[in-house]
Amino acid sequence: MTGITHAYDTFQPTHYDIFIDIDRGTKQISGKSVIDGDAQQKDIFIQQKNMEISSVQADGKDVPFEVDNKKEAINITLPKTGTTTLAVTYKAPLTDSMMGIYPSYYEVDGVKKEIIGTQFETTFARQAFPSVDEPEAKAKFDLAIKFDEKPGETILANMPEVKNENGVHYFDTTVRMSTYLIAFAFGDLQSKITTTKSGVKVGVFATKAHKANELDFALDIAKRAIEFYEDFYQTPYPLPHSWQLALPDFSAGAMENWGLVTYREAYLTLDPDNTSLDTKQLVATVITHELAHQWFGDLVTMKWWDDLWLNESFANMMEYVSVDAIEPDWHVWEMFQTSDVPAALQRDATDGVQSVHVDVEDPAEIDALFDSAIVYAKGARMLVMMRALVGDDALRKGLKNYFAAHQYHNAQGNDLWSAVGEAAGMDIGGIMNTWLQQPGYPVVSASVVDGKLTLSQQQFFIGDGVDKGRQWKIPLNSNYEVAPTIMSDKTIELGDYAKLREEAGKPFRINVGNNSHFIVKYDDELLKDILDHHDELDAISQLQILQDLRLLAEGKQISYASIVPLLPKFADSHSNVVNAALYRVANDLKKFVTPDSDEEKQLQVLFDKLSAKEVARLGWAPKNGESNDDQLTRPYVLNAALYAKNTDAIASAHKLFEENSSNLAALSADIRPYVLRNEVKNFGSEELFDNLLSEYRKSSDASYKQDLNIALTATPDAKLISKLIGKFEDAETIKPQDLRSWYRGVLANDAGQQAAWDWIRNDWQWLDDTVGGDMEFTTYITVTAMVFHTPARLAEFKAFFEPKLNTPGMTREIQMDIKVVETRVKLIEAEKDAVNAAVAEIVK
C-alpha cells in the first residue's frame, strides 16, 4: 500500500488518559485526550471526526495544529521527535448515527428512555476521542467518564470501575489494545452475573424493557463458551470480566469490544420458554462468535484492515466449533451447511467479487470490506477446509503458539499459516493463499474419458465471467483412495474407471463432507450412479448433490429443468439439511413464473406434492420430545403448503390464530410467523393490521417482533402497504436498524414491490442521512438485487444505481448487483419454458 501514510507511521501511542463528559440533554460531548507516545517525525497527525478542537499541547506547551476534516485528521507540528505527551481538548456532537458514542431508545411501560452505548469499529473511535485510530496502534487506556447521571443508573466499560469521584467514573487501566475495541455504556440496566471455573466474571446486561429470564440463555452460553475457548486455545481469557450488553439500537449484529461485547437485542435476549430452536442456535453462534474474538482479534489483532478476514473468518468458524462442543445435540455444523456455505458459494461465483484478502485504505472502503458472504462465510469455509486437513491437535497447538508469539500485538495472515503449518508439518500457506488471494472458486468436473476417471478444475461463474486461468490447491477428500489429497494441476487422471468402481463398490465422489470450497460437476454416468444410490448417502451428501446441481443450473452448465424431476426423490427426507437444500431449489423455481399465472398454479401443485407427506407426519403443533430435525423441518414444509394454497393448511393456521388471538405472542415460536402471515394474507383487515402493528411497537421480544414483520409485509392490500411504508421513516415504530428487513419484506411482496421501490428511490437521501455511515448501508442495494428478476426492473435498477457508481464504498456492490440481476434475467429468459414444462410433467 505504497503512497499512503498511516497516522501510526508518524506517531506511535503507548498510553491514553481519556476524559469524556457526555450530556444527553444537549447531545454534546466534551473531553480531553492525553496520549503518551513516540513521535517518528515533527509533523505528525492523529485522527478525529466531526470534532471542534480547542487546543493541542505537546509536553504541556501549545503547539500549532490544523484540523483536516476531509482526511479526518489533526495535523500537528511538534518541536521535537521522540517521546511526547499530546493533550487534545475537544467538543463533539452526540449523534443518532449508531456510530461513535450514541443514544439507544426504548420504552418501559409506555415511558420513553435512552441508554448510551458505543460502536467504534471500523474508524469511529475518532468520533469519541482524538486518537491514532488504526488497529496497529495498540496502547493502554485509562478511561474516565462523566455524564448527566440519574439515580440507579449503571455504567460499564472494558475494565472494572476502580473509583467514582465527583461524579467521574474511573476505570482500571486496560491491557494493550486497539482503539476500535474500546467501549463503554450507561443507563438504567438490569443484569445477571456468574463466574467461570477460572474466575472470570461473566455478565449479561439489558434494559428493563426485558423480562429478567430473557438474560438466562445468553449467560449460560457465554460462561460455557469462555470455558471452552480457554481450553481449546490453551490460553487464559486475558481480562477480569466479560460483559455482554444488549443495545436497543445497534447497526451491526454484535461487536467484540474487549470485555464489553455489544449486541442487537435480537442476538442476546430471548424468551427461554418460547423461542424456536433455530433462533436459539443463531443467538448462541452470535455470542460464541464475539467471544472467539476476545482472543482472535482482540488479544491478537490484524495489523491493518486488509487482513480483516483474519478476525472475522476465524471467529465465524470458531462460533460453530464452540457451540458444537457445548451443545453437541444441536448438530450445529448442519446450520453452517445451510447458511454460510450456500451464501459463500452464491456470492463468490459472480465475476468482480472481492477476494477474502483485499488491499484497502479509504475509511468508506474499509466499511465495504464487511461482505458477510466472503470475509465471514467464505473465509470460515477456507478455515474449515484447513481444519479438516490438519486436524484439531495440530490446529490447537498452532493457535497456542500463535497467541504466545503475538499476544497484545498485531499479526498478518501468513503468521497464522506459519504457526499452524509448523504444528502440522505442512505448507499450509502454500495451499491457503490460493484461496485467500484469489476471488472465486473452481468447479471440478469428474468425467469418464476413454474409460479413464478424469478430474479437471476451472473457475466457476454464475453469469458472464472472464476466465483468467486461475488454479487452486484443492483438498479433494474423495471416497476413492486413488484420488490425491490435494489437486494442484488443471487436470488429473485417476485410472481405469470400471476397475476403480468395482474395487470401491460404491459411486465415485469428491468433497465428501462438503468442507472444501468448490462444487462438483459429475458427468451423466457418474451422476446417475450417485442418484441411483442417493438413499445410501448421509444427509450432508444429499444436501450437497442438490446444492451443486442448483449452482450448476444457475451457472447455465446444466438446465434447471433437469433438476425438477429429482426433487420428489428427496421430499420424504426427515433431515433438516436435506429439506433446506430441497426447498432452496424449489423456491428458486418461483422466479420462472409470474404471479397468478397458470404456471404458478402448476408450481403450487408441485409444492403441495413435495410437502404433503411431511405436513401430515409433523402437523402444526410441535410435540414434546420430537427430534431437532423435526423441529427444524416443520417450517419448511408448512411454508411450502401455504405457498401451495393447501386449503387444510390455510384452515389449520387460521384456527390456531383464532385460538390464540388474545395472546398471539404465546403461539409456539416454531410456527408463529406462518400463522400470522397466513392471517394477514388470507383473512386480513385494517383492524388486524393495526392491531399487529401496535403489538410490534409494544413488544420487546425480538423474535416475536420479527414474526410480526414477516406477517405485516405480506399484506396484499395496497392501502395497507402504503400505510406501512409511511412508517418506514418513523423511528418510534420501525427503528433504523430494522428498516432493511421491512423494506425487503415489502419489496419481495408482489403487491408491494412497486411501492417499496418507489420509496427507496424517492427517499434515498433520507436513507443515506439516517444510516449512510453504517457498514450495513450497501446491503440495501444487495437485498434489492436479490428480489428483482425482470428486464424492466433491471433497467430501473441500473438507471438508479449507475449514477452512484463513484460513491466511496458503494462501487463494487453496485457493479456486482447489476451483474446479479442481469444474470437472473437472462437465465429466466433462457430457461422458463423448459422449467415450466418440467414442472407440468411432474404434476400432471
Side-chain angles (χ1 to χ4, degrees), residues 743 757-765 767 781 784 793-805 810 814 818:
Y743 164 69
W757 180 222
D758 288 345
W759 169 77
I760 203 168
R761 287 183 294 177
N762 293 334
D763 287 21
W764 181 263
Q765 189 57 54
L767 189 65
I781 310 170
T784 306
R793 286 291 188 236
L794 169 61
E796 291 168 358
F797 187 87
K798 290 170 77 171
F800 184 66
F801 284 114
E802 279 181 338
K804 298 172 174 52
L805 267 170
M810 289 173 61
I814 293 171
I818 287 171

PDB file of all heavy atoms in Angstrom, residues 743 757-765 767 781 784 793-805 810 814 818:
ATOM      1  N   TYR A 743     -38.155  -3.181   4.506  1.00  0.00           N
ATOM      2  CA  TYR A 743     -38.084  -2.813   3.093  1.00  0.00           C
ATOM      3  C   TYR A 743     -38.041  -4.063   2.214  1.00  0.00           C
ATOM      4  O   TYR A 743     -38.796  -4.192   1.245  1.00  0.00           O
ATOM      5  CB  TYR A 743     -36.840  -1.942   2.844  1.00  0.00           C
ATOM      6  CG  TYR A 743     -36.455  -1.826   1.391  1.00  0.00           C
ATOM      7  CD1 TYR A 743     -37.254  -1.127   0.481  1.00  0.00           C
ATOM      8  CD2 TYR A 743     -35.287  -2.427   0.914  1.00  0.00           C
ATOM      9  CE1 TYR A 743     -36.900  -1.040  -0.865  1.00  0.00           C
ATOM     10  CE2 TYR A 743     -34.923  -2.334  -0.437  1.00  0.00           C
ATOM     11  CZ  TYR A 743     -35.742  -1.647  -1.312  1.00  0.00           C
ATOM     12  OH  TYR A 743     -35.391  -1.551  -2.635  1.00  0.00           O
ATOM     13  N   TRP A 757     -40.082   0.053  -3.981  1.00  0.00           N
ATOM     14  CA  TRP A 757     -39.051   0.521  -4.915  1.00  0.00           C
ATOM     15  C   TRP A 757     -39.175   2.042  -5.120  1.00  0.00           C
ATOM     16  O   TRP A 757     -38.171   2.753  -5.163  1.00  0.00           O
ATOM     17  CB  TRP A 757     -39.188  -0.257  -6.209  1.00  0.00           C
ATOM     18  CG  TRP A 757     -38.233   0.050  -7.322  1.00  0.00           C
ATOM     19  CD1 TRP A 757     -38.554   0.160  -8.649  1.00  0.00           C
ATOM     20  CD2 TRP A 757     -36.804   0.223  -7.271  1.00  0.00           C
ATOM     21  NE1 TRP A 757     -37.439   0.401  -9.411  1.00  0.00           N
ATOM     22  CE2 TRP A 757     -36.344   0.452  -8.587  1.00  0.00           C
ATOM     23  CE3 TRP A 757     -35.870   0.215  -6.233  1.00  0.00           C
ATOM     24  CZ2 TRP A 757     -35.015   0.677  -8.913  1.00  0.00           C
ATOM     25  CZ3 TRP A 757     -34.530   0.436  -6.545  1.00  0.00           C
ATOM     26  CH2 TRP A 757     -34.108   0.671  -7.856  1.00  0.00           C
ATOM     27  N   ASP A 758     -40.401   2.527  -5.207  1.00  0.00           N
ATOM     28  CA  ASP A 758     -40.598   3.976  -5.312  1.00  0.00           C
ATOM     29  C   ASP A 758     -40.079   4.675  -4.061  1.00  0.00           C
ATOM     30  O   ASP A 758     -39.451   5.733  -4.146  1.00  0.00           O
ATOM     31  CB  ASP A 758     -42.086   4.303  -5.500  1.00  0.00           C
ATOM     32  CG  ASP A 758     -42.599   3.931  -6.881  1.00  0.00           C
ATOM     33  OD1 ASP A 758     -41.767   3.697  -7.788  1.00  0.00           O
ATOM     34  OD2 ASP A 758     -43.834   3.852  -7.050  1.00  0.00           O
ATOM     35  N   TRP A 759     -40.344   4.090  -2.903  1.00  0.00           N
ATOM     36  CA  TRP A 759     -39.893   4.712  -1.640  1.00  0.00           C
ATOM     37  C   TRP A 759     -38.380   4.865  -1.611  1.00  0.00           C
ATOM     38  O   TRP A 759     -37.864   5.937  -1.314  1.00  0.00           O
ATOM     39  CB  TRP A 759     -40.361   3.889  -0.431  1.00  0.00           C
ATOM     40  CG  TRP A 759     -39.686   4.356   0.830  1.00  0.00           C
ATOM     41  CD1 TRP A 759     -39.990   5.468   1.558  1.00  0.00           C
ATOM     42  CD2 TRP A 759     -38.534   3.776   1.457  1.00  0.00           C
ATOM     43  NE1 TRP A 759     -39.108   5.618   2.615  1.00  0.00           N
ATOM     44  CE2 TRP A 759     -38.205   4.594   2.572  1.00  0.00           C
ATOM     45  CE3 TRP A 759     -37.748   2.657   1.206  1.00  0.00           C
ATOM     46  CZ2 TRP A 759     -37.130   4.313   3.415  1.00  0.00           C
ATOM     47  CZ3 TRP A 759     -36.684   2.373   2.039  1.00  0.00           C
ATOM     48  CH2 TRP A 759     -36.372   3.193   3.131  1.00  0.00           C
ATOM     49  N   ILE A 760     -37.650   3.774  -1.905  1.00  0.00           N
ATOM     50  CA  ILE A 760     -36.190   3.852  -1.744  1.00  0.00           C
ATOM     51  C   ILE A 760     -35.593   4.833  -2.757  1.00  0.00           C
ATOM     52  O   ILE A 760     -34.622   5.534  -2.447  1.00  0.00           O
ATOM     53  CB  ILE A 760     -35.532   2.460  -1.813  1.00  0.00           C
ATOM     54  CG1 ILE A 760     -34.167   2.506  -1.103  1.00  0.00           C
ATOM     55  CG2 ILE A 760     -35.383   1.963  -3.241  1.00  0.00           C
ATOM     56  CD1 ILE A 760     -33.541   1.152  -0.850  1.00  0.00           C
ATOM     57  N   ARG A 761     -36.192   4.921  -3.946  1.00  0.00           N
ATOM     58  CA  ARG A 761     -35.659   5.865  -4.930  1.00  0.00           C
ATOM     59  C   ARG A 761     -35.990   7.310  -4.550  1.00  0.00           C
ATOM     60  O   ARG A 761     -35.133   8.190  -4.652  1.00  0.00           O
ATOM     61  CB  ARG A 761     -36.222   5.543  -6.321  1.00  0.00           C
ATOM     62  CG  ARG A 761     -35.604   4.283  -6.929  1.00  0.00           C
ATOM     63  CD  ARG A 761     -36.122   4.022  -8.327  1.00  0.00           C
ATOM     64  NE  ARG A 761     -37.545   3.696  -8.328  1.00  0.00           N
ATOM     65  CZ  ARG A 761     -38.257   3.479  -9.433  1.00  0.00           C
ATOM     66  NH1 ARG A 761     -37.674   3.568 -10.628  1.00  0.00           N
ATOM     67  NH2 ARG A 761     -39.533   3.166  -9.363  1.00  0.00           N
ATOM     68  N   ASN A 762     -37.190   7.526  -4.076  1.00  0.00           N
ATOM     69  CA  ASN A 762     -37.584   8.897  -3.718  1.00  0.00           C
ATOM     70  C   ASN A 762     -36.900   9.386  -2.448  1.00  0.00           C
ATOM     71  O   ASN A 762     -36.614  10.583  -2.308  1.00  0.00           O
ATOM     72  CB  ASN A 762     -39.106   8.974  -3.527  1.00  0.00           C
ATOM     73  CG  ASN A 762     -39.863   8.766  -4.828  1.00  0.00           C
ATOM     74  OD1 ASN A 762     -39.332   9.035  -5.906  1.00  0.00           O
ATOM     75  ND2 ASN A 762     -41.085   8.256  -4.728  1.00  0.00           N
ATOM     76  N   ASP A 763     -36.643   8.457  -1.517  1.00  0.00           N
ATOM     77  CA  ASP A 763     -36.133   8.863  -0.197  1.00  0.00           C
ATOM     78  C   ASP A 763     -34.712   8.359   0.059  1.00  0.00           C
ATOM     79  O   ASP A 763     -34.308   8.168   1.206  1.00  0.00           O
ATOM     80  CB  ASP A 763     -37.080   8.357   0.902  1.00  0.00           C
ATOM     81  CG  ASP A 763     -38.374   9.156   0.925  1.00  0.00           C
ATOM     82  OD1 ASP A 763     -38.689   9.785  -0.104  1.00  0.00           O
ATOM     83  OD2 ASP A 763     -39.084   9.146   1.939  1.00  0.00           O
ATOM     84  N   TRP A 764     -33.965   8.149  -1.015  1.00  0.00           N
ATOM     85  CA  TRP A 764     -32.589   7.668  -0.863  1.00  0.00           C
ATOM     86  C   TRP A 764     -31.752   8.621  -0.011  1.00  0.00           C
ATOM     87  O   TRP A 764     -30.947   8.174   0.812  1.00  0.00           O
ATOM     88  CB  TRP A 764     -31.947   7.478  -2.237  1.00  0.00           C
ATOM     89  CG  TRP A 764     -30.542   6.957  -2.164  1.00  0.00           C
ATOM     90  CD1 TRP A 764     -29.387   7.669  -2.222  1.00  0.00           C
ATOM     91  CD2 TRP A 764     -30.159   5.588  -1.956  1.00  0.00           C
ATOM     92  NE1 TRP A 764     -28.298   6.832  -2.082  1.00  0.00           N
ATOM     93  CE2 TRP A 764     -28.741   5.556  -1.916  1.00  0.00           C
ATOM     94  CE3 TRP A 764     -30.866   4.392  -1.811  1.00  0.00           C
ATOM     95  CZ2 TRP A 764     -28.031   4.372  -1.741  1.00  0.00           C
ATOM     96  CZ3 TRP A 764     -30.146   3.213  -1.639  1.00  0.00           C
ATOM     97  CH2 TRP A 764     -28.750   3.206  -1.602  1.00  0.00           C
ATOM     98  N   GLN A 765     -31.932   9.918  -0.214  1.00  0.00           N
ATOM     99  CA  GLN A 765     -31.134  10.879   0.555  1.00  0.00           C
ATOM    100  C   GLN A 765     -31.442  10.764   2.043  1.00  0.00           C
ATOM    101  O   GLN A 765     -30.540  10.813   2.880  1.00  0.00           O
ATOM    102  CB  GLN A 765     -31.389  12.313   0.074  1.00  0.00           C
ATOM    103  CG  GLN A 765     -30.428  13.343   0.683  1.00  0.00           C
ATOM    104  CD  GLN A 765     -28.972  13.009   0.413  1.00  0.00           C
ATOM    105  OE1 GLN A 765     -28.572  12.808  -0.733  1.00  0.00           O
ATOM    106  NE2 GLN A 765     -28.157  12.901   1.464  1.00  0.00           N
ATOM    107  N   LEU A 767     -32.428   8.069   3.537  1.00  0.00           N
ATOM    108  CA  LEU A 767     -31.811   6.807   3.966  1.00  0.00           C
ATOM    109  C   LEU A 767     -30.309   6.996   4.172  1.00  0.00           C
ATOM    110  O   LEU A 767     -29.745   6.552   5.174  1.00  0.00           O
ATOM    111  CB  LEU A 767     -32.082   5.730   2.912  1.00  0.00           C
ATOM    112  CG  LEU A 767     -31.711   4.294   3.285  1.00  0.00           C
ATOM    113  CD1 LEU A 767     -32.554   3.791   4.443  1.00  0.00           C
ATOM    114  CD2 LEU A 767     -31.867   3.371   2.076  1.00  0.00           C
ATOM    115  N   ILE A 781     -28.760  -2.172  -1.323  1.00  0.00           N
ATOM    116  CA  ILE A 781     -28.589  -2.466  -2.747  1.00  0.00           C
ATOM    117  C   ILE A 781     -28.666  -3.979  -2.956  1.00  0.00           C
ATOM    118  O   ILE A 781     -29.347  -4.467  -3.861  1.00  0.00           O
ATOM    119  CB  ILE A 781     -27.238  -1.922  -3.257  1.00  0.00           C
ATOM    120  CG1 ILE A 781     -27.051  -0.454  -2.862  1.00  0.00           C
ATOM    121  CG2 ILE A 781     -27.135  -2.077  -4.774  1.00  0.00           C
ATOM    122  CD1 ILE A 781     -25.643   0.078  -3.109  1.00  0.00           C
ATOM    123  N   THR A 784     -32.169  -5.487  -2.708  1.00  0.00           N
ATOM    124  CA  THR A 784     -32.967  -5.127  -3.881  1.00  0.00           C
ATOM    125  C   THR A 784     -32.620  -6.054  -5.046  1.00  0.00           C
ATOM    126  O   THR A 784     -33.509  -6.586  -5.733  1.00  0.00           O
ATOM    127  CB  THR A 784     -32.719  -3.659  -4.270  1.00  0.00           C
ATOM    128  OG1 THR A 784     -32.951  -2.819  -3.126  1.00  0.00           O
ATOM    129  CG2 THR A 784     -33.639  -3.226  -5.394  1.00  0.00           C
ATOM    130  N   ARG A 793     -37.336  -4.202 -14.402  1.00  0.00           N
ATOM    131  CA  ARG A 793     -36.717  -3.878 -13.113  1.00  0.00           C
ATOM    132  C   ARG A 793     -35.198  -3.722 -13.265  1.00  0.00           C
ATOM    133  O   ARG A 793     -34.586  -2.887 -12.604  1.00  0.00           O
ATOM    134  CB  ARG A 793     -37.036  -4.967 -12.081  1.00  0.00           C
ATOM    135  CG  ARG A 793     -38.462  -4.934 -11.564  1.00  0.00           C
ATOM    136  CD  ARG A 793     -38.727  -3.726 -10.694  1.00  0.00           C
ATOM    137  NE  ARG A 793     -40.026  -3.804 -10.056  1.00  0.00           N
ATOM    138  CZ  ARG A 793     -40.976  -2.871 -10.155  1.00  0.00           C
ATOM    139  NH1 ARG A 793     -40.749  -1.778 -10.881  1.00  0.00           N
ATOM    140  NH2 ARG A 793     -42.133  -3.001  -9.540  1.00  0.00           N
ATOM    141  N   LEU A 794     -34.587  -4.517 -14.104  1.00  0.00           N
ATOM    142  CA  LEU A 794     -33.149  -4.382 -14.347  1.00  0.00           C
ATOM    143  C   LEU A 794     -32.840  -2.985 -14.885  1.00  0.00           C
ATOM    144  O   LEU A 794     -31.897  -2.321 -14.419  1.00  0.00           O
ATOM    145  CB  LEU A 794     -32.670  -5.448 -15.342  1.00  0.00           C
ATOM    146  CG  LEU A 794     -31.242  -5.271 -15.879  1.00  0.00           C
ATOM    147  CD1 LEU A 794     -30.217  -5.323 -14.757  1.00  0.00           C
ATOM    148  CD2 LEU A 794     -30.934  -6.340 -16.924  1.00  0.00           C
ATOM    149  N   ALA A 795     -33.634  -2.535 -15.859  1.00  0.00           N
ATOM    150  CA  ALA A 795     -33.400  -1.211 -16.437  1.00  0.00           C
ATOM    151  C   ALA A 795     -33.552  -0.123 -15.373  1.00  0.00           C
ATOM    152  O   ALA A 795     -32.755   0.828 -15.299  1.00  0.00           O
ATOM    153  CB  ALA A 795     -34.372  -0.970 -17.586  1.00  0.00           C
ATOM    154  N   GLU A 796     -34.549  -0.258 -14.531  1.00  0.00           N
ATOM    155  CA  GLU A 796     -34.764   0.736 -13.464  1.00  0.00           C
ATOM    156  C   GLU A 796     -33.637   0.688 -12.430  1.00  0.00           C
ATOM    157  O   GLU A 796     -33.185   1.730 -11.938  1.00  0.00           O
ATOM    158  CB  GLU A 796     -36.111   0.458 -12.772  1.00  0.00           C
ATOM    159  CG  GLU A 796     -37.318   0.733 -13.648  1.00  0.00           C
ATOM    160  CD  GLU A 796     -38.618   0.184 -13.061  1.00  0.00           C
ATOM    161  OE1 GLU A 796     -38.585  -0.454 -11.975  1.00  0.00           O
ATOM    162  OE2 GLU A 796     -39.661   0.377 -13.692  1.00  0.00           O
ATOM    163  N   PHE A 797     -33.197  -0.504 -12.106  1.00  0.00           N
ATOM    164  CA  PHE A 797     -32.112  -0.684 -11.128  1.00  0.00           C
ATOM    165  C   PHE A 797     -30.844   0.019 -11.633  1.00  0.00           C
ATOM    166  O   PHE A 797     -30.191   0.760 -10.899  1.00  0.00           O
ATOM    167  CB  PHE A 797     -31.858  -2.188 -10.929  1.00  0.00           C
ATOM    168  CG  PHE A 797     -30.879  -2.532  -9.842  1.00  0.00           C
ATOM    169  CD1 PHE A 797     -31.294  -2.683  -8.531  1.00  0.00           C
ATOM    170  CD2 PHE A 797     -29.530  -2.724 -10.134  1.00  0.00           C
ATOM    171  CE1 PHE A 797     -30.401  -3.016  -7.525  1.00  0.00           C
ATOM    172  CE2 PHE A 797     -28.627  -3.056  -9.135  1.00  0.00           C
ATOM    173  CZ  PHE A 797     -29.067  -3.203  -7.832  1.00  0.00           C
ATOM    174  N   LYS A 798     -30.531  -0.217 -12.898  1.00  0.00           N
ATOM    175  CA  LYS A 798     -29.335   0.410 -13.483  1.00  0.00           C
ATOM    176  C   LYS A 798     -29.490   1.927 -13.548  1.00  0.00           C
ATOM    177  O   LYS A 798     -28.557   2.677 -13.226  1.00  0.00           O
ATOM    178  CB  LYS A 798     -29.071  -0.161 -14.878  1.00  0.00           C
ATOM    179  CG  LYS A 798     -28.590  -1.606 -14.866  1.00  0.00           C
ATOM    180  CD  LYS A 798     -28.562  -2.222 -16.243  1.00  0.00           C
ATOM    181  CE  LYS A 798     -27.379  -1.751 -17.045  1.00  0.00           C
ATOM    182  NZ  LYS A 798     -27.232  -2.524 -18.311  1.00  0.00           N
ATOM    183  N   ALA A 799     -30.662   2.376 -13.950  1.00  0.00           N
ATOM    184  CA  ALA A 799     -30.881   3.824 -14.072  1.00  0.00           C
ATOM    185  C   ALA A 799     -30.704   4.527 -12.734  1.00  0.00           C
ATOM    186  O   ALA A 799     -30.193   5.655 -12.665  1.00  0.00           O
ATOM    187  CB  ALA A 799     -32.286   4.095 -14.631  1.00  0.00           C
ATOM    188  N   PHE A 800     -31.099   3.850 -11.654  1.00  0.00           N
ATOM    189  CA  PHE A 800     -30.998   4.483 -10.336  1.00  0.00           C
ATOM    190  C   PHE A 800     -29.598   4.373  -9.739  1.00  0.00           C
ATOM    191  O   PHE A 800     -29.072   5.340  -9.180  1.00  0.00           O
ATOM    192  CB  PHE A 800     -32.023   3.866  -9.377  1.00  0.00           C
ATOM    193  CG  PHE A 800     -32.030   4.536  -8.024  1.00  0.00           C
ATOM    194  CD1 PHE A 800     -32.429   5.862  -7.888  1.00  0.00           C
ATOM    195  CD2 PHE A 800     -31.616   3.851  -6.889  1.00  0.00           C
ATOM    196  CE1 PHE A 800     -32.424   6.493  -6.649  1.00  0.00           C
ATOM    197  CE2 PHE A 800     -31.605   4.475  -5.650  1.00  0.00           C
ATOM    198  CZ  PHE A 800     -32.014   5.800  -5.525  1.00  0.00           C
ATOM    199  N   PHE A 801     -28.967   3.193  -9.864  1.00  0.00           N
ATOM    200  CA  PHE A 801     -27.717   2.980  -9.134  1.00  0.00           C
ATOM    201  C   PHE A 801     -26.457   3.319  -9.943  1.00  0.00           C
ATOM    202  O   PHE A 801     -25.434   3.650  -9.345  1.00  0.00           O
ATOM    203  CB  PHE A 801     -27.634   1.548  -8.601  1.00  0.00           C
ATOM    204  CG  PHE A 801     -28.506   1.320  -7.400  1.00  0.00           C
ATOM    205  CD1 PHE A 801     -29.591   0.461  -7.452  1.00  0.00           C
ATOM    206  CD2 PHE A 801     -28.243   1.975  -6.208  1.00  0.00           C
ATOM    207  CE1 PHE A 801     -30.398   0.259  -6.343  1.00  0.00           C
ATOM    208  CE2 PHE A 801     -29.039   1.784  -5.093  1.00  0.00           C
ATOM    209  CZ  PHE A 801     -30.128   0.935  -5.159  1.00  0.00           C
ATOM    210  N   GLU A 802     -26.502   3.243 -11.264  1.00  0.00           N
ATOM    211  CA  GLU A 802     -25.282   3.539 -12.023  1.00  0.00           C
ATOM    212  C   GLU A 802     -24.733   4.947 -11.769  1.00  0.00           C
ATOM    213  O   GLU A 802     -23.520   5.126 -11.674  1.00  0.00           O
ATOM    214  CB  GLU A 802     -25.510   3.297 -13.524  1.00  0.00           C
ATOM    215  CG  GLU A 802     -25.380   1.819 -13.879  1.00  0.00           C
ATOM    216  CD  GLU A 802     -25.585   1.537 -15.364  1.00  0.00           C
ATOM    217  OE1 GLU A 802     -26.225   2.371 -16.053  1.00  0.00           O
ATOM    218  OE2 GLU A 802     -25.127   0.474 -15.822  1.00  0.00           O
ATOM    219  N   PRO A 803     -25.592   5.976 -11.609  1.00  0.00           N
ATOM    220  CA  PRO A 803     -25.041   7.300 -11.293  1.00  0.00           C
ATOM    221  C   PRO A 803     -24.335   7.368  -9.928  1.00  0.00           C
ATOM    222  O   PRO A 803     -23.610   8.329  -9.661  1.00  0.00           O
ATOM    223  CB  PRO A 803     -26.291   8.208 -11.301  1.00  0.00           C
ATOM    224  CG  PRO A 803     -27.277   7.493 -12.155  1.00  0.00           C
ATOM    225  CD  PRO A 803     -27.038   6.039 -11.906  1.00  0.00           C
ATOM    226  N   LYS A 804     -24.526   6.350  -9.094  1.00  0.00           N
ATOM    227  CA  LYS A 804     -23.901   6.330  -7.770  1.00  0.00           C
ATOM    228  C   LYS A 804     -22.620   5.482  -7.744  1.00  0.00           C
ATOM    229  O   LYS A 804     -22.043   5.242  -6.681  1.00  0.00           O
ATOM    230  CB  LYS A 804     -24.896   5.798  -6.727  1.00  0.00           C
ATOM    231  CG  LYS A 804     -26.131   6.674  -6.585  1.00  0.00           C
ATOM    232  CD  LYS A 804     -27.179   6.014  -5.690  1.00  0.00           C
ATOM    233  CE  LYS A 804     -28.345   6.960  -5.433  1.00  0.00           C
ATOM    234  NZ  LYS A 804     -28.952   7.536  -6.640  1.00  0.00           N
ATOM    235  N   LEU A 805     -22.182   5.035  -8.928  1.00  0.00           N
ATOM    236  CA  LEU A 805     -21.042   4.108  -9.005  1.00  0.00           C
ATOM    237  C   LEU A 805     -19.772   4.659  -8.370  1.00  0.00           C
ATOM    238  O   LEU A 805     -18.966   3.898  -7.828  1.00  0.00           O
ATOM    239  CB  LEU A 805     -20.750   3.742 -10.466  1.00  0.00           C
ATOM    240  CG  LEU A 805     -21.422   2.479 -10.989  1.00  0.00           C
ATOM    241  CD1 LEU A 805     -21.263   2.372 -12.492  1.00  0.00           C
ATOM    242  CD2 LEU A 805     -20.853   1.230 -10.307  1.00  0.00           C
ATOM    243  N   MET A 810     -19.418   2.078  -2.317  1.00  0.00           N
ATOM    244  CA  MET A 810     -20.585   1.501  -2.988  1.00  0.00           C
ATOM    245  C   MET A 810     -20.267   0.915  -4.360  1.00  0.00           C
ATOM    246  O   MET A 810     -21.064   0.163  -4.926  1.00  0.00           O
ATOM    247  CB  MET A 810     -21.685   2.557  -3.142  1.00  0.00           C
ATOM    248  CG  MET A 810     -22.346   2.909  -1.820  1.00  0.00           C
ATOM    249  SD  MET A 810     -23.496   4.298  -1.949  1.00  0.00           S
ATOM    250  CE  MET A 810     -24.677   3.656  -3.105  1.00  0.00           C
ATOM    251  N   ILE A 814     -22.548  -2.043  -6.314  1.00  0.00           N
ATOM    252  CA  ILE A 814     -23.411  -1.701  -7.453  1.00  0.00           C
ATOM    253  C   ILE A 814     -23.015  -2.517  -8.676  1.00  0.00           C
ATOM    254  O   ILE A 814     -23.881  -3.091  -9.368  1.00  0.00           O
ATOM    255  CB  ILE A 814     -23.339  -0.186  -7.738  1.00  0.00           C
ATOM    256  CG1 ILE A 814     -23.977   0.596  -6.573  1.00  0.00           C
ATOM    257  CG2 ILE A 814     -24.047   0.154  -9.049  1.00  0.00           C
ATOM    258  CD1 ILE A 814     -23.768   2.096  -6.640  1.00  0.00           C
ATOM    259  N   ILE A 818     -25.656  -5.258 -10.311  1.00  0.00           N
ATOM    260  CA  ILE A 818     -26.141  -5.143 -11.689  1.00  0.00           C
ATOM    261  C   ILE A 818     -25.921  -6.471 -12.412  1.00  0.00           C
ATOM    262  O   ILE A 818     -26.813  -6.978 -13.111  1.00  0.00           O
ATOM    263  CB  ILE A 818     -25.444  -3.976 -12.419  1.00  0.00           C
ATOM    264  CG1 ILE A 818     -25.980  -2.641 -11.895  1.00  0.00           C
ATOM    265  CG2 ILE A 818     -25.653  -4.079 -13.935  1.00  0.00           C
ATOM    266  CD1 ILE A 818     -25.228  -1.420 -12.386  1.00  0.00           C
TER     267      ILE A 818
END
